[in-house]
Amino acid sequence: MKKSRKKILTVLLVCISLVIVLIAGYEIKEKMRINSIVKSHKTEQVAGQNAVGANHATNGSKHITTAVQQIMIGTMSDNYDHALQTLLNIKNAGYESIELNDFMIHKTSLLVKLMTQFSGMPIGSGGKLDWPKLIEESGLQVISLHSNLGSIEDDAGAIAKEAKKFGTDTVVITGMYQFDYSSLDKVKELAGRLNEAGKALADEGIRLLYHNHNVELQKVTAEKTAYDIIIEETDPAYVNFEFDSYWMADGGANVPALMEKLGSRMKLWHINDRGHTKAGPYMTPILKENATELGYGNMDLDTLAAIAIKNGVEGVILETHKNWIDNDPIKSLQVSAEYMQKKFGDNK
């Protein structure tokens, strides 16, 4: 019996050791890859800071802020120098701002890191870095801060204080996580919570936006989706929207119609394109659709851009999670910057 237990224990220890070795090997390989990418993008810092950021007072001049979502650079922020160089590369590509996530600017649990890794959105180790200092040194502005509804309900003042620390007056809630879109009552309940959270932030001088995925397209009545109800049941004085057209296209929605329905309530736009990047010979007639650089996919971005501009969108934020050129988010966002400047630059 003792020998059997000893053998089982030995096997377990060997398995655990193998897992540790595999994880360590992956981390080393990933760090080498990121080091190589960052090194290849070494550039000189642009002199001076961009005078135009997320200040909504500029909206009268029809300036539209261009930005990148922080989730794109999670693995490229493993240390201060890498993070700073990455931010400089974003600025040098022509973007003015970055959209931060509160779970990426603070120390994060191993569980969250693993969850984001397996979902294709690794957040890296940037939570240990001094992000206020990084933002200041990079010359980028912060267009908004992503947070979660529970945190706002727990302490709206603390969330507002964090947003102000980065010079933004906008907090965004991402949908999907821990929300129930299964019935009309549940969605109305969510809308009520959003109104209350928006009011709490408004009392602190911060506005609240809601960011969609595709789950909001679930029908909760014969005619209406959860997203329809969220739009109709929220008070524009307290809740507006950061519209993600990629997710709505993914869900099969009439994206232009949704953007028109939001109208001026669409304050920010998460932009992406859908297409296919060649990874090898085309052996079958079926292509796997995925995110791709702006203007290289099959979404009618020109029509969407025209609607967004007409309705006074304040900022356009690029977000892709994978399928980058040479597995390099910087190369990908540099290519997408060409479309951004063409459509939203001041000299368009």
Side-chain angles (χ1 to χ4, degrees):
M1 189 69 176
K2 287 183 178 180
K3 287 184 177 180
S4 177
R5 286 181 180 176
K6 188 175 181 180
K7 182 178 285 188
I8 292 172
L9 183 59
T10 301
V11 171
L12 284 173
L13 288 172
V14 169
C15 290
I16 292 171
S17 299
L18 283 172
V19 170
I20 292 173
V21 169
L22 287 172
I23 292 174
Y26 173 81
E27 292 293 336
I28 292 170
K29 183 179 178 182
E30 185 68 5
K31 186 160 288 191
M32 289 174 65
R33 183 183 73 82
I34 297 303
N35 286 344
S36 175
I37 289 174
V38 173
K39 186 177 180 181
S40 72
H41 289 296
K42 287 293 180 185
T43 57
E44 300 251 333
Q45 182 170 359
V46 176
Q49 292 195 0
N50 198 319
V52 182
N55 188 338
H56 309 303
T58 63
N59 203 35
S61 64
K62 298 184 179 179
H63 176 80
I64 298 174
T65 300
T66 57
V68 170
Q69 225 294 328
Q70 188 185 13
I71 198 71
M72 289 186 68
I73 59 168
T75 55
M76 304 189 74
S77 306
D78 59 330
N79 63 54
Y80 192 91
D81 290 342
H82 284 183
L84 179 58
Q85 186 60 54
T86 300
L87 295 177
L88 290 173
N89 287 332
I90 290 172
K91 184 169 176 59
N92 291 342
Y95 299 89
E96 304 159 72
S97 293
I98 186 167
E99 181 174 60
L100 297 177
N101 305 314
D102 60 5
F103 62 90
M104 292 181 69
I105 57 176
H106 298 292
K107 289 183 179 179
T108 312
S109 68
L110 178 61
L111 178 60
V112 172
K113 287 184 178 181
L114 289 174
M115 287 175 63
T116 55
Q117 180 76 46
F118 289 129
S119 64
M121 296 181 288
I123 62 174
S125 304
K128 63 186 179 182
L129 304 179
D130 186 344
W131 281 95
K133 185 179 178 183
L134 280 167
I135 296 299
E136 181 181 0
E137 289 193 22
S138 72
L140 286 170
Q141 303 290 319
V142 173
I143 192 169
S144 57
L145 174 69
H146 271 212
S147 188
N148 66 84
L149 183 55
S151 295
I152 297 169
E153 290 172 329
D154 289 342
D155 193 344
I159 301 299
K161 184 178 180 181
E162 178 122 89
K164 291 174 184 177
K165 179 172 69 176
F166 287 102
T168 182
D169 65 358
T170 303
V171 167
V172 183
I173 289 176
T174 58
M176 182 167 68
Y177 301 107
Q178 299 180 338
F179 293 162
D180 188 343
Y181 301 96
S182 64
S183 70
L184 180 61
D185 288 342
K186 289 294 185 183
V187 177
K188 283 189 173 184
E189 179 184 328
L190 172 59
R193 291 175 64 194
L194 290 172
N195 283 330
E196 291 177 9
K199 185 178 186 307
L201 285 176
D203 291 342
E204 301 285 343
I206 298 294
R207 65 177 182 174
L208 179 66
L209 305 184
Y210 176 89
H211 176 284
N212 66 278
H213 289 86
N214 61 11
V215 289
E216 291 87 352
L217 292 175
Q218 293 183 75
K219 286 285 186 70
V220 292
T221 72
E223 298 84 19
K224 295 184 178 181
T225 66
Y227 200 59
D228 291 325
I229 302 302
I230 291 171
I231 295 171
E232 294 165 12
E233 294 288 327
T234 50
D235 186 341
Y238 301 127
V239 181
N240 286 291
F241 295 86
E242 177 178 77
F243 184 71
D244 192 311
S245 53
Y246 182 93
W247 279 116
M248 286 304 188
D250 180 78
N254 184 333
V255 179
L258 276 178
M259 292 177 73
E260 291 284 19
K261 181 171 183 173
L262 286 173
S264 62
R265 293 185 72 186
M266 187 181 81
K267 306 299 183 184
L268 300 178
W269 176 20
H270 262 212
I271 193 171
N272 202 344
D273 208 343
R274 286 167 62 85
H276 182 272
T277 301
K278 184 178 179 181
Y282 295 114
M283 301 302 292
T284 74
I286 305 300
L287 300 179
K288 182 179 179 181
E289 201 166 14
N290 211 328
T292 191
E293 289 67 42
L294 302 182
Y296 290 84
N298 300 314
M299 290 186 69
D300 186 2
L301 294 181
D302 289 350
T303 294
L304 302 187
I307 295 171
I309 293 169
K310 178 188 72 174
N311 288 315
V313 72
E314 297 167 7
V316 182
I317 303 161
L318 179 72
E319 178 185 6
T320 58
H321 304 146
K322 55 184 178 179
N323 208 41
W324 299 314
I325 298 170
D326 298 332
N327 201 25
D328 182 344
I330 299 299
K331 285 185 179 180
S332 184
L333 65 84
Q334 285 171 337
V335 170
S336 290
E338 298 170 9
Y339 186 89
M340 289 284 232
Q341 291 303 311
K342 177 183 175 183
K343 286 295 175 183
F344 310 112
D346 289 336
N347 296 319
K348 62 183 180 292

